[in-house]
């Protein structure tokens, strides 16, 4: 960048440090992140003066930054410095933002709503919140709470703001203790370990789950099984989330027996849900084929709310954490690519 | 539910090697006679109903049904004495073979009754104390496994019930029986092949108290309750059998849950 000199500008891992005014210029990869960045300046940096480096800032962004007296650098275009002598920037009122209270969206109904909002097509985004809630049988009150938390006036604005959340916000929000109420993760202290008497492929396992569901038994794929059906994981383990009252039928149908620590293959983990399976909101209200490249993606798998499943992947294994991150990325990319 | 013929024949040969003439002595009378005690596990192992069992026994126990005629018992004991067996000095029901060889060192010849008024006489016959317990033999008679002639052994569920009753009536002296039934349930659940048949046996038994008691015991262990079926009371026996090397505490509870679901409910 021709606008900076080596004497005053020190390259860092976050961007540059402007030594003359002691301002940390933080590089933003997208202007979409600007508003959230602005909201968290105080929390993350305290009294340290902070600026923004971003090549795609637009006029509205510059007005905001100027209003807040936040320095900015558009490489090879513009540099604006607000020194310490300028009046201190006041971050906008955050009041109950998803940053301070991720429970607003990390809950059974919250994730159900977020999943639908992200999947809305252009025409649907122009509809009112009431119409969307009615069309997809979403909780109107919860949708209203989420819109307030994001300070979104329209569905379209809400969708944009949800997309603007940094990708690494999601796993951190998933892991916050308060977000663990009301939903059952796929591995709990009550998880039982069984072994299949005859090995099954992922598709055969899925078929058996579908058959049990068609007989109105409360059984659902667990996180590992879901990853296997998506061909993201190659392991001989499966898991299920069930209503404990239906355990006898599940044991019978899958021909399971209890596993010991010497059994390592064809393991099935069964986790009892904390309530009725319907309350877990495992299914999406708007099915989409998110992964057209994956072969044999069965229609029942499309009914799964992927965000809810990604929340439940609490296996604390490095390979699963990586997959969770990768699938989150793919999820947001698949749903947002038509916007660009 | 049947014992395989080849297994019966093999076992009879083994028994005859260790305790010659014993089966003949028993068959000289016609009363129902049960093989009980630790050697029953040997047969379960041979049948591959369980994969292994930690405790090995060195003796054989038979119990003859007493219906009022004491000659059925005396015939067996007399025949053993004629065959050269020696009566034990301390235990009047115990007989040692003329030559010790093989796995089984001696035989205990006991008696049982399912008729309450005959219990006192039955104990007198064996010359045992008043706390000798006959509970569970009605259930054992319900669906016994046939060995040969008038000789039977209890099915696994009946054996579990017999050991429950034995432990319940003398918990200080019969910890071994509680540990036996815990291990048997764990091993049966781990293999899981005959659980369906055990369920059918229980379903066909008219006395519902057996199911109720078995359920109470299973749930007490599943939920780790204190009370008469507290695993902590036999922690030492379980450790000695190295059961905790094979089954974690959670796995023990899970196996008992599985047994309850598959057999008792």
């Amino acid at each position: 960048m021709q606008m900076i000199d080596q004497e005053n500008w020190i390259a860092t891992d976050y961007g540059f440090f402007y030594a003359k005014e002691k301002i940390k210029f933080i590089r933003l990869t997208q202007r979409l992140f600007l508003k959230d960045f602005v909201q968290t300046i105080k929390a993350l940096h305290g009294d340290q003066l902070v600026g923004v480096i971003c090549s795609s800032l637009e006029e509205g962004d510059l007005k905001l930054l100027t209003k807040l007296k936040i320095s900015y650098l558009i490489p090879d275009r513009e540099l604006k410095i607000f020194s310490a002598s300028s009046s201190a920037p006041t971050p906008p009122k955050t009041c109950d933002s998803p940053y301070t209270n991720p429970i607003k969206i990390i809950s059974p109904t919250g994730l159900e709503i977020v999943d639908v909002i992200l999947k809305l097509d252009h025409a649907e985004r122009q509809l009112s919140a009431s119409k969307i809630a009615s069309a997809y049988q979403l909780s109107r009150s919860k949708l209203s709470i989420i819109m307030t938390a994001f300070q979104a006036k329209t569905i379209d604005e809400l969708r944009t703001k949800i997309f603007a959340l940094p990708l690494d916000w999601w796993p951190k929000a998933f892991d916050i203790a308060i977000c663990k109420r009301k939903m059952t993760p796929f591995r709990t202290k009550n998880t039982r370990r069984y072994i299949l008497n005859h090995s099954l492929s992922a598709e055969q396992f899925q078929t058996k789950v579908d058959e049990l569901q068609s007989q109105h038994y409360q059984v659902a794929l667990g996180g590992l099984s879901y990853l296997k059906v998506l061909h993201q994981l190659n392991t001989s383990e499966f898991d299920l989330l069930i209503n404990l009252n239906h355990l006898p039928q599940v044991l019978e149908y899958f021909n399971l027996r209890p596993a010991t620590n010497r059994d390592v293959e064809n393991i099935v983990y069964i986790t009892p849900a904390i309530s009725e399976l319907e309350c877990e909101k495992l299914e999406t209200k708007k099915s989409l084929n998110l992964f057209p490249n994956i072969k044999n993606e069965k229609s029942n798998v499309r009914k799964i709310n992927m965000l809810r499943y990604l929340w439940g992947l609490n296996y604390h294994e490095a390979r699963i954490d990586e997959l969770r991150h990768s699938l989150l990325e793919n999820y947001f990319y698949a749903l947002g690519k038509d916007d660009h | 539910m049947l014992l395989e013929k080849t297994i019966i024949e093999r076992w009879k040969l083994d028994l005859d090697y260790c305790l010659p003439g014993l089966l003949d002595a028993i068959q000289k009378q016609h009363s129902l006679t049960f093989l009980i005690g630790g050697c029953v596990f040997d047969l379960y192992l041979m049948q591959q109903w369980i994969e292994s069992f930690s405790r090995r026994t060195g003796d054989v126990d038979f119990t003859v049904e007493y219906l009022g005629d004491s000659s059925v018992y005396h015939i067996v004991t007399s025949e053993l004495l004629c065959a050269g067996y020696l009566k034990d000095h301390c235990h009047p029901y115990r007989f040692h073979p003329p030559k010790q060889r093989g796995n089984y060192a001696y035989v205990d010849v006991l008696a049982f009754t399912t008729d309450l008024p005959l219990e006192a006489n039955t104990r007198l016959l064996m010359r045992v104390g008043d706390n000798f317990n006959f509970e569970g033999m009605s259930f054992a008679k319900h669906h016994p496994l046939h060995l040969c002639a008038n000789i039977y052994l209890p099915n696994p569920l009946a054996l579990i019930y017999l050991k429950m009753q034995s432990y319940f009536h003398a918990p200080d002296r019969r910890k071994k029986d509680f540990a036996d039934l815990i291990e048997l349930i764990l091993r049966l659940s781990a293999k899981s092949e005959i659980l369906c048949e055990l369920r059918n046996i229980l379903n066909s038994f008219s006395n519902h108290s057996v199911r109720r008691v078995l359920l109470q015991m299973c749930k007490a262990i599943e939920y780790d309750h204190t009370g008469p079926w507290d695993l902590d009371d036999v922690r030492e026996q379980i450790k000695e059998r190295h059961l905790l090397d094979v089954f974690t505490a959670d796995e023990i509870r899970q196996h008992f849950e599985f047994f309850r679901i598959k057999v008792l409910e």
Side-chain angles (χ1 to χ4, degrees):
Chain A
M1 285 184 280
Q2 294 172 0
M3 304 163 79
I4 59 174
D5 58 276
Q6 286 186 358
E7 188 182 352
N8 286 305
W9 293 83
I10 302 163
T12 65
D13 55 339
Y14 57 79
F16 282 92
F17 181 71
Y18 182 52
K20 189 177 177 184
E21 296 289 345
K22 293 187 177 49
I23 301 173
K24 282 170 84 169
F25 275 84
I26 295 171
R27 184 175 282 113
L28 291 186
T29 53
Q30 292 183 45
R31 58 167 291 276
L32 280 174
F33 300 142
L34 180 66
K35 285 185 182 170
D36 303 292
F37 165 77
V38 158
Q39 286 176 356
T40 56
I41 281 178
K42 188 70 179 170
L44 294 175
H45 302 282
D47 294 329
Q48 166 67 52
L49 285 178
V50 173
V52 170
I53 304 175
C54 183
S55 56
S56 58
L57 292 176
E58 295 178 357
E59 192 178 344
D61 304 321
L62 302 184
K63 278 184 184 167
L64 174 66
L65 291 169
T66 304
K67 181 180 167 188
L68 298 174
K69 302 275 190 289
I70 296 174
S71 307
Y72 59 84
L73 167 63
I74 305 173
D76 300 323
R77 244 179 67 191
E78 189 178 348
L79 170 65
K80 182 85 173 180
I81 301 286
F82 292 97
S83 64
S85 56
S86 310
S87 50
T90 50
K93 193 175 169 192
T94 53
C95 182
D96 217 23
S97 76
Y99 284 101
T100 53
N101 194 0
I103 193 68
K104 295 294 178 195
I105 57 175
I106 311 299
S107 70
T109 320
L111 289 177
E112 183 181 65
I113 288 171
V114 167
D115 178 64
V116 168
I117 297 296
L118 293 175
K119 287 174 177 171
L120 295 175
D121 60 35
H122 183 77
E124 287 174 315
R125 287 176 228 159
Q126 314 314 314
L127 297 174
S128 68
S130 297
K131 287 216 167 99
I132 293 294
S134 175
Y136 289 101
Q137 297 168 337
L138 302 175
S139 164
R140 179 67 185 93
S141 56
K142 185 69 176 185
L143 178 56
S144 175
I145 288 168
I146 292 174
M147 289 181 75
T148 305
F150 276 89
Q151 297 174 1
K153 293 187 177 53
T154 64
I155 290 292
D156 199 21
E157 192 179 349
L158 174 63
R159 186 173 180 277
T160 303
K161 290 193 172 192
I162 294 173
F163 267 113
L165 288 169
L167 193 67
D168 60 2
W169 179 87
W170 291 93
K172 286 174 191 165
F174 286 165
D175 288 341
I176 289 173
I178 197 170
C179 296
K180 294 184 190 305
R181 288 173 54 234
K182 299 183 184 178
M183 292 187 286
T184 313
F186 296 119
R187 195 64 61 86
T188 70
K189 62 179 182 177
N190 296 320
T191 298
R192 283 105 160 121
R193 196 164 168 269
Y194 294 94
I195 183 168
L196 284 162
N197 279 323
H198 307 285
S199 56
L200 294 173
S201 68
E203 286 73 27
Q204 287 169 327
F205 193 85
Q206 163 79 66
T207 301
K208 282 190 172 295
V209 172
D210 293 344
E211 285 167 1
L212 276 173
Q213 286 175 344
S214 68
Q215 295 170 51
H216 306 294
Y217 290 114
Q218 293 183 33
V219 182
L221 288 180
L224 287 182
S225 305
Y226 179 55
L227 293 176
K228 287 181 67 159
V229 170
L230 292 182
H231 301 286
Q232 299 292 310
L233 197 65
N234 186 14
T235 169
S236 64
E237 295 172 333
F238 295 92
D239 56 356
L240 295 169
L241 190 67
I242 70 165
N243 182 322
L244 192 59
N245 292 332
H246 297 159
L247 179 62
Q249 290 79 14
V250 173
L251 294 177
E252 181 72 34
Y253 209 76
F254 282 92
N255 197 7
L256 296 170
R257 57 182 169 81
T260 65
N261 51 20
R262 290 181 299 186
D263 297 312
V264 291
E265 297 228 323
N266 297 320
I267 299 297
V268 179
Y269 295 93
I270 295 183
T271 301
I274 53 178
S275 58
E276 297 288 313
L277 218 56
E278 202 187 315
C279 301
E280 298 282 343
K281 306 280 187 198
L282 296 168
E283 291 192 351
T284 180
K285 289 286 178 72
K286 187 174 169 64
S287 294
L288 278 185
N289 185 1
L290 290 175
F291 303 105
N293 296 333
I294 294 176
K295 291 176 190 174
N296 299 324
E297 196 203 336
K298 300 184 83 170
S299 59
N300 279 354
V301 175
R302 293 181 205 173
K303 285 187 195 170
I304 284 175
N305 179 348
M306 179 178 257
L307 262 187
R308 165 64 178 89
Y309 265 69
L310 293 177
W311 172 88
L313 294 178
N314 66 326
Y315 301 97
H316 303 299
E317 288 178 43
R319 61 178 181 153
I320 305 294
D321 289 344
E322 277 174 27
L323 278 174
R324 189 199 232 185
H325 186 89
S326 160
L327 282 169
L328 264 173
E329 213 167 9
N330 289 345
Y331 174 82
F332 284 103
Y333 175 75
L335 295 177
K337 64 183 177 186
D338 292 338
D339 296 352
H340 305 297
Chain B
M1 191 174 199
L2 297 169
L3 294 170
E4 286 177 35
K5 284 196 177 126
T6 49
I7 287 171
I8 293 172
E9 292 311 313
R10 190 153 42 104
W11 184 82
K12 280 165 65 180
L13 279 172
D14 288 344
L15 188 71
D16 216 42
Y17 176 75
C18 307
L19 298 164
L22 172 59
L23 288 178
D24 290 335
I26 293 171
Q27 287 171 75
K28 284 278 193 308
Q29 50 84 33
H30 300 292
S31 195
L32 200 66
T33 305
F34 271 88
L35 176 72
I36 56 173
C39 59
V40 175
F41 297 118
D42 294 341
L43 274 150
Y44 293 167
L45 272 165
M46 290 165 78
Q47 283 282 148
Q48 295 184 337
W49 291 340
I50 53 178
E51 202 176 286
S52 65
F53 201 82
S54 59
R55 193 165 73 81
R56 281 288 185 273
T57 188
D59 68 302
V60 171
D61 300 280
F62 278 100
T63 186
V64 181
E65 187 170 27
Y66 172 68
L67 296 168
D69 178 10
S70 58
S71 67
V72 296
Y73 183 82
H74 292 306
I75 286 171
V76 178
T77 55
S78 304
E79 287 291 324
L80 287 177
L81 291 170
C82 288
Y85 280 72
L86 297 170
K87 200 169 184 177
D88 191 272
H89 297 301
C90 300
H91 306 95
Y93 46 79
R94 184 164 293 168
F95 296 84
H96 299 269
K99 220 185 219 180
Q100 277 218 3
R101 55 187 188 186
N103 293 329
Y104 304 128
Y106 56 84
V107 56
D108 286 345
V109 182
L110 306 168
F112 77 93
T113 182
T114 55
D115 206 342
L116 196 58
L118 295 178
E119 282 190 8
N121 281 353
T122 312
R123 290 189 186 100
L124 219 59
L125 204 53
M126 295 185 280
R127 286 192 254 166
V128 295
D130 289 340
N131 50 15
F132 201 93
N133 176 44
F134 302 114
E135 289 259 17
M137 288 309 295
S138 294
F139 186 47
K141 280 173 65 176
H142 168 62
H143 195 110
L145 303 171
H146 190 219
L147 266 169
C148 58
N150 59 331
I151 304 174
Y152 297 82
L153 69 145
N155 65 68
L157 193 60
L159 186 64
I160 288 167
Y161 189 68
L162 281 168
K163 290 203 172 272
M164 271 184 68
Q165 293 299 335
S166 170
Y167 173 71
F168 186 75
H169 286 276
D172 292 331
R173 292 186 293 114
R174 306 300 303 183
K175 287 186 193 291
K176 170 174 70 71
D177 285 328
F178 188 21
D180 275 348
L181 76 88
I182 289 167
E183 184 170 1
L184 183 56
I185 289 176
L186 290 174
R187 302 286 184 192
L188 286 171
S189 298
K191 260 244 153 170
S192 80
E193 284 169 6
I194 60 165
L195 298 184
C196 194
E197 292 177 82
L198 297 182
R199 183 190 192 90
N200 292 340
I201 290 170
L202 186 61
N203 286 346
S204 64
F205 191 61
S206 56
N207 187 342
H208 298 297
S209 67
V210 171
R211 184 195 301 272
R212 184 170 43 81
V213 165
L214 285 166
L215 266 171
Q216 274 173 2
M217 184 266 298
C218 273
K219 282 186 176 174
I221 292 174
E222 258 183 77
Y223 299 115
D224 204 14
H225 287 163
T226 55
W229 309 112
D230 191 341
L231 275 185
D232 287 336
D233 293 339
V234 288
R235 184 79 39 193
E236 282 308 311
Q237 284 75 10
I238 291 174
K239 270 188 189 164
E240 280 167 16
R241 294 170 187 235
H242 300 287
L243 279 181
L244 297 179
D245 295 343
V246 181
F247 304 96
T248 63
D250 282 340
E251 284 166 2
I252 289 174
R253 282 193 286 274
Q254 189 183 322
H255 280 67
F256 269 77
E257 179 190 59
F258 186 75
F259 186 81
R260 172 175 59 81
I261 289 171
K262 286 292 192 180
V263 178
L264 306 179
E265 285 187 346

